[in-house]
Amino acid sequence: MGSVAFYPGSFDPITNGHLDIIQRARRCFDIIYVGIGQNSTKARGRFVPGQRVQLVQTALTEIGLSSEKHVFVSTFTGVVWEAAKRVEADVIIRGLRALSDFEFEQQFAHTVKQFAPNIESVFLMTRPENSYLSSSLVRELSSLDQDISSLVPRCVVEALK
Ligand code: ADP
């Protein structure tokens, strides 16, 4: 089997920033599992986990990345490294946008190292044009009736209507 990477997050909803990370991660690893966390401590989101899975799958299909291309999407419960181990991932992917992401991500990577020493955390730097982009910004703009079509895949624009 080739290299396997697990990309966890809330994806509420998926944005062009997430999609870019998935595309670039797929060039580095043979199989990508996108994991949508079900037990985030974050407040109840805009979409339920099942809807987020659907949106990620549709968005990936729109850019030609689906299970045939070895990119899989599902929800997970429990800690990230256990979910990564269940799919036999050697790597956990995270995206980095700004210095403000770094502190959390460093703590997260150290925690993974402590509890799952065989898993590597790999960070992909966002593209400059996506560096301000987050799911919460998308939710906020959408609730204020702004055109978010340059920030998210088409299926998310439709779903937020
Ligand atoms: P979480 O709740 O774990 O932060 P998110 O769905 O917000 O989940 O993000 C999942 C991963 O994608 C995180 O590693 C995050 O830093 C990364 N990410 C989010 N938005 C972007 C973006 N615009 N560019 C690059 N990476 C991003």
Side-chain angles (χ1 to χ4, degrees):
M1 193 166 73
S3 55
V4 182
F6 184 65
Y7 180 38
S10 310
F11 304 98
D12 186 29
I14 186 159
T15 69
N16 291 343
H18 295 126
L19 277 177
D20 173 57
I21 296 292
I22 296 170
Q23 280 178 304
R24 287 160 57 202
R26 179 61 187 82
R27 281 187 228 126
C28 304
F29 301 99
D30 298 317
I31 303 174
I32 307 287
Y33 287 94
V34 180
I36 297 174
Q38 292 218 48
N39 54 348
S40 163
T41 48
K42 289 183 180 179
R44 205 187 105 69
R46 173 69 177 75
F47 294 102
V48 298
Q51 289 174 303
R52 297 180 208 173
V53 170
Q54 285 278 306
L55 288 173
V56 175
Q57 253 158 2
T58 307
L60 287 172
T61 306
E62 281 173 5
I63 60 167
L65 275 185
S66 57
S67 51
E68 290 107 70
K69 294 281 165 69
H70 306 143
V71 181
F72 303 94
V73 189
S74 62
T75 57
F76 72 95
T77 52
V79 291
V80 167
W81 52 90
E82 292 300 338
K85 281 184 196 170
R86 284 196 288 275
V87 295
E88 297 184 22
D90 330 280
V91 163
I92 291 175
I93 301 282
R94 298 288 291 174
L96 280 180
R97 283 161 292 188
L99 206 52
S100 50
D101 280 340
F102 181 80
E103 206 173 338
F104 175 84
E105 294 298 344
Q106 184 185 41
Q107 187 184 31
F108 175 76
H110 288 158
T111 310
V112 172
K113 210 31 142 190
Q114 176 70 25
F115 286 90
N118 294 331
I119 295 182
E120 292 302 329
S121 295
V122 170
F123 300 93
L124 295 182
M125 187 60 66
T126 184
R127 281 180 197 280
E129 61 267 34
N130 292 333
S131 62
Y132 68 96
L133 181 52
S134 66
S135 299
S136 57
L137 177 72
V138 166
R139 293 196 302 269
E140 172 102 34
L141 290 174
S142 157
S143 74
L144 296 168
D145 282 333
Q146 297 303 296
D147 178 5
I148 49 159
S149 56
S150 61
L151 311 180
V152 293
R154 201 154 25 113
C155 59
V156 172
V157 177
E158 294 302 318
L160 279 167
K161 270 181 190 161

